Amino acid sequence: MYKVGIIGGTGYTGGELARLLCTHPDVEITSMTSRQSSGESVSSVHSFLNGYTNLCFTKTVDYDVDLAFIATPHGAAMKEIPQLMERGIKCIDLSGDYRMHDVQTYRKWYGHDHTDIDNLRKAVYGLPELFRNNIRGANLVANPGCYATAVILVCAPLMKADVVEMDIDIDAKSGTSGAGITPSARTHHAFCGESIIPYEIGTHRHTPEIEMVLKAFSHNDPKITFVPHLLPIIRGILSTCYMRLKKNLTKEDIQSIYEDQYGKEKFIHITNEASIRAVVGSNHVQISFRIIDKKIVAFGVIDNLVKGASGQAIQNMNLMLGLNESSGLDLPGLGV
Amino acid sequence: MYKVGIIGGTGYTGGELARLLCTHPDVEITSMTSRQSSGESVSSVHSFLNGYTNLCFTKTVDYDVDLAFIATPHGAAMKEIPQLMERGIKCIDLSGDYRMHDVQTYRKWYGHDHTDIDNLRKAVYGLPELFRNNIRGANLVANPGCYATAVILVCAPLMKADVVEMDIDIDAKSGTSGAGITPSARTHHAFCGESIIPYEIGTHRHTPEIEMVLKAFSHNDPKITFVPHLLPIIRGILSTCYMRLKKNLTKEDIQSIYEDQYGKEKFIHITNEASIRAVVGSNHVQISFRIIDKKIVAFGVIDNLVKGASGQAIQNMNLMLGLNESSGLDLPGLGV
Amino acid sequence: MYKVGIIGGTGYTGGELARLLCTHPDVEITSMTSRQSSGESVSSVHSFLNGYTNLCFTKTVDYDVDLAFIATPHGAAMKEIPQLMERGIKCIDLSGDYRMHDVQTYRKWYGHDHTDIDNLRKAVYGLPELFRNNIRGANLVANPGCYATAVILVCAPLMKADVVEMDIDIDAKSGTSGAGITPSARTHHAFCGESIIPYEIGTHRHTPEIEMVLKAFSHNDPKITFVPHLLPIIRGILSTCYMRLKKNLTKEDIQSIYEDQYGKEKFIHITNEASIRAVVGSNHVQISFRIIDKKIVAFGVIDNLVKGASGQAIQNMNLMLGLNESSGLDLPGLGV
Amino acid sequence: MYKVGIIGGTGYTGGELARLLCTHPDVEITSMTSRQSSGESVSSVHSFLNGYTNLCFTKTVDYDVDLAFIATPHGAAMKEIPQLMERGIKCIDLSGDYRMHDVQTYRKWYGHDHTDIDNLRKAVYGLPELFRNNIRGANLVANPGCYATAVILVCAPLMKADVVEMDIDIDAKSGTSGAGITPSARTHHAFCGESIIPYEIGTHRHTPEIEMVLKAFSHNDPKITFVPHLLPIIRGILSTCYMRLKKNLTKEDIQSIYEDQYGKEKFIHITNEASIRAVVGSNHVQISFRIIDKKIVAFGVIDNLVKGASGQAIQNMNLMLGLNESSGLDLPGLGV
């Protein structure tokens, strides 16, 4: 059994890591930190873990682990990671701190300088279906953003096949758990509960992340117009991606492109109708599409807390530790 | 045109007062105060008022009004009201400060002493269908709690007719707007959005309020067990009231009791199935009931922000100013 | 008082017409038809109308009216309207039967021939803010589709000002009341209640309607890619419209274009953040926008049952009968 | 590997059985029947099973199984079960057909005669925490109703300890998945999506079921007043149970009673605040309670499709087949 630690265990992604890891056959959570809940038992804070863990939250990081998940807010991770890395602990960062390869882009979108440029250079972008081999050998993995996951998996195969123009409109919709556990005006039920709220229009940090990764699959500079919307649901993301086809292609042509890319993937399914409910609670992704004249509208759905965060982090962990990639994650979505 | 002021205009009940008053034929809102938004235009804070008001929020209270609504949190109202009352301004308090006639009960349930006992003695409980005549002559009206409205209107006629036992179980459910505009852990969408959450079980402040009012309709001491639940909807309260019949009564007997009490009321309807959606957005109340052996289960529904707060306050205002009681309120609920 | 009839009164748009008309100062509903509920009182079917009408549903149409609203499903309206028109009754059709000027387009998108071509030629498209003068003199008005309203009002001013390209992506989201009162697999709560569901992708009938109307404001053929999504809310539409700017324009430029078009409109507001809740229950529209490089993303929100259907129909009625255009509709949205 | 069949596989409980069984280590689903979808692949109907099953739905029952789950509507099960039983196939009926021991009670509440009285006499009520030993040896198990599970587990220990009166008020709330997959007026999103709807008040079939089971734990005849409410959520039941204490008891006394009964149970947890979200997706139960003077208000939460239906059925299967009772079910709830 590998020992793993969770740094920042009281939030949604920390709790979700614990939910998924507590039945994982090959690893054991041996420590979870929390500033506000240190000393409390994990199952008193996350009552769904009743019967699954006897851990208490600690204030200080336990370095006696093989791998650490960092589930702290942006900016905090790059303070923890250097200390973990120099002790030889493999790290998976669920924040945005190590996603941008370019420090200028980081500064522009995150509003401050990066303070751990050495490790930033080593960080591998943790989207297993596209960067599996790099992740296997990595010591530091930057876990992708939830929206980024739901968009990149949809668009990258079409970019790679060179069948779409660079100018893409992305209309993304996310459940409220994506905003984290801290109450705010936007996630106040009476505000968002019977509405859909566009926000950070053209200014969301996943924009450069998506462009950076898609560029790796293209001969050109992708330019996405990205508009996230807050949905009155808890879990789930739907990305509706509007792309212009370079030439006339049939449904079968596109189907082939996706099947070539994802046909053997455990967690990605090309379906006729991508359904959020079909993937909720699971690490699965569904992609569907329609051709309308010279455009393709493609849809991606994920559970933002699983494939969009903690599940994908565990998938990365499995690769980094040489375990079966789907270990602990091989469960269907709720469906209903 | 009467001039009215709203003290505490940025919250939900303040905004709802403005929504209903901006089309009222006989009164004009001439001032709205707000601590955090003073100086801002009302319609920039409440964008639904676009085109309906040119007011800006002020910090200080404008005493050049005929009547003031106090829509501040509990505890703040009893600081404002003495100053308004001594200037001869009629007051309607939407907080709980003037509801309890008994200072001991107030201290016990609100956790601090009452600082305006003189006015407390003069305050009239503002449930028009039961205390209409008192309200007409009042200078200070304590607007009932939202839950209290939804429970008292259901139970009082049966108490008055002396057909039910004193021991009553009340299972109440409220939309999240009842919790106000300030974000909190309980009203965070990802926490409450797909759940129903019992809270303040046996400790909610509307408990003594309900008992106090029902006692006025009974020869005995009513004892209610009151359990509020937070619903994942925005507007609306359903109270499910479990009462024990003193003798066998038919559906027709109960129907008569309610019709005798409410048959001529504009806003109260005895229906076969009380529906929250039928009253949402309006000042209407629906009451329905079923007899099950020796018990009666009766249901009351209201819009917590209208009949449960601001609409009822306007109904009280109409009575206090000698206007048509339903003026500005005579609109059906949304239905869908 | 004008006499008006509602043909098809049990559905959501029929009930909404009654909700809004029952307090209208200048007209009186004198008949409502219903196949399945004929003989029943209207307020037993629509309990929110309790106290507002004593009508019973009839099976046969009452021709003793000045104006009739036809709120039946597509295909049924063109059977009723010839008989109303030949009796000189003004008609407002809330279905899609008279929206397409071109019979070929009608056949292609509605799947059958149009059987009332004479009246089709006379029908005026009932979007008052854009076709007010035509509506004033019309005897037959085709009330716009809900999505079409939320899209056309956003895009038309920019088309007219010739600042955007013809190729537009429209990501539209609607509450479930837009699907009508008949239960279906898609509107089953356990299916749609925690999800967002794209449907009729590229095949929705509002597509040619939008293109037809936008073409009237452009020198060219607009080509919209229209993807509707079902939201887990009851009332409200948000349309997110992705347009390419022909040249660099500032926020102020766009603001001017909208203000020039809508500055004097009662029901249209250019806001910083368009909010569904701000317009729910009302006939108001909010439009907001952001410029992102060479694109503009513009948002429109309406209540699909009011400005998207019955409210707009009443606005049309007011124009056709020479009444004040906002009569009976001059109320703010719920806000919360 | 045991072979199991699912009769009635297109509904929610059928799909949920497949969801949970497809990763069960000791059994294999070898057949699923469906009237309307026979011939179709299971994963095309239940897309969440993509990658987890290659089965197609069949019209006829496959008798080459060790155990069959009957997930058909009430009335249909008692036609299938005699044929399965005479072939020596163990049966778990998820409908209400075999829950009532008394044929008169069955007729009264289900509206028709029971046609398989022989097997009815042999049927064991499948609530493992209370009837584990009987289930182990059973060939036919009647899986409890969802509401019944959420109520009986809460009340039985207090009945058994003889600390509460027989007269109990139960206010139960269920998500819409409890109503099954067939669309209806009540589960139409625009009807139920922003409301809470009491239904079958005093007439719900789980009433006699609860009374029958509680009687087995009492020296007297329990009399419950049971009011179910439809909640605008998909999964989850909360039962709020109002009981009168026979004598003064402390929180610790009640805690002891529950701990004595459930302290060693894998799936039952006595918590300070029972949370639906903590158990959603899982077979877990949370129970919490408060003492208010001479009453106890106790709460039970379950996922109606898991512990309230398919999960409990699998728990029963594990017992009947001699497997580890929690096999395939040992997962925490979603939490968020």
Side-chain angles (χ1 to χ4, degrees), chain D residues 128-160:
Chain D
E129 287 80 5
L130 297 178
F131 304 103
R132 183 168 284 127
N133 288 335
N134 296 347
I135 296 163
R136 275 206 183 94
N139 290 315
L140 170 57
V141 161
N143 212 57
C146 51
Y147 282 123
T149 299
V151 172
I152 293 166
L153 290 174
V154 170
C155 297
L158 304 181
M159 288 267 161
K160 201 171 145 193

Side-chain angles (χ1 to χ4, degrees), chain B residues 137-180:
Chain B
N139 289 316
L140 171 56
V141 161
N143 212 56
C146 51
Y147 283 124
T149 299
V151 171
I152 293 167
L153 290 174
V154 170
C155 297
L158 305 180
M159 288 268 161
K160 200 172 145 192
D162 199 22
V163 297
V164 292
E165 304 284 356
M166 290 298 101
D167 173 15
I168 298 177
D169 293 332
I170 308 281
D171 194 280
K173 301 95 174 167
S174 173
T176 55
S177 61

Side-chain angles (χ1 to χ4, degrees), chain A residues 242 244 292-293 295, chain C residues 109 147-148 151-152 155 159 165-171 202-204 206-212 214-215 221-227 241-243:
Chain A
Y242 298 82
R244 280 113 185 99
I292 310 174
D293 301 329
K295 285 195 195 165
Chain C
W109 288 84
Y147 282 123
V151 172
I152 293 167
C155 297
M159 288 267 161
E165 305 283 355
M166 290 297 102
D167 173 17
I168 299 176
D169 293 332
I170 308 280
D171 194 281
T203 65
H204 195 283
H206 292 180
T207 311
E209 184 181 336
I210 296 168
E211 289 182 345
M212 177 190 79
L214 289 184
K215 190 170 160 57
D221 278 350
K223 178 70 198 136
I224 72 157
T225 301
F226 179 68
V227 182
C241 308
Y242 298 82
M243 292 171 277

Side-chain angles (χ1 to χ4, degrees), chain A residues 104-115:
Chain A
Q104 250 99 4
T105 311
Y106 181 88
R107 191 191 303 119
K108 178 181 163 194
W109 288 83
Y110 285 78
H112 52 83
D113 281 326
H114 204 288
T115 60

Side-chain angles (χ1 to χ4, degrees), chain C residues 14-71:
Chain C
E16 189 77 359
L17 283 166
R19 177 176 82 84
L20 294 164
L21 288 171
C22 71
T23 58
H24 194 292
D26 310 309
V27 308
E28 187 188 5
I29 312 172
T30 55
S31 77
M32 291 178 77
T33 73
S34 164
R35 284 193 194 178
Q36 66 266 47
S37 304
S38 73
E40 294 179 53
S41 77
V42 169
S43 66
S44 69
V45 171
H46 299 305
S47 79
F48 57 96
L49 294 176
N50 237 309
Y52 290 94
T53 180
N54 294 317
L55 281 181
C56 286
F57 286 114
T58 59
K59 196 157 201 162
T60 55
V61 174
D62 178 2
Y63 293 115
D64 181 21
V65 294
D66 299 296
L67 182 146
F69 295 97
I70 297 90

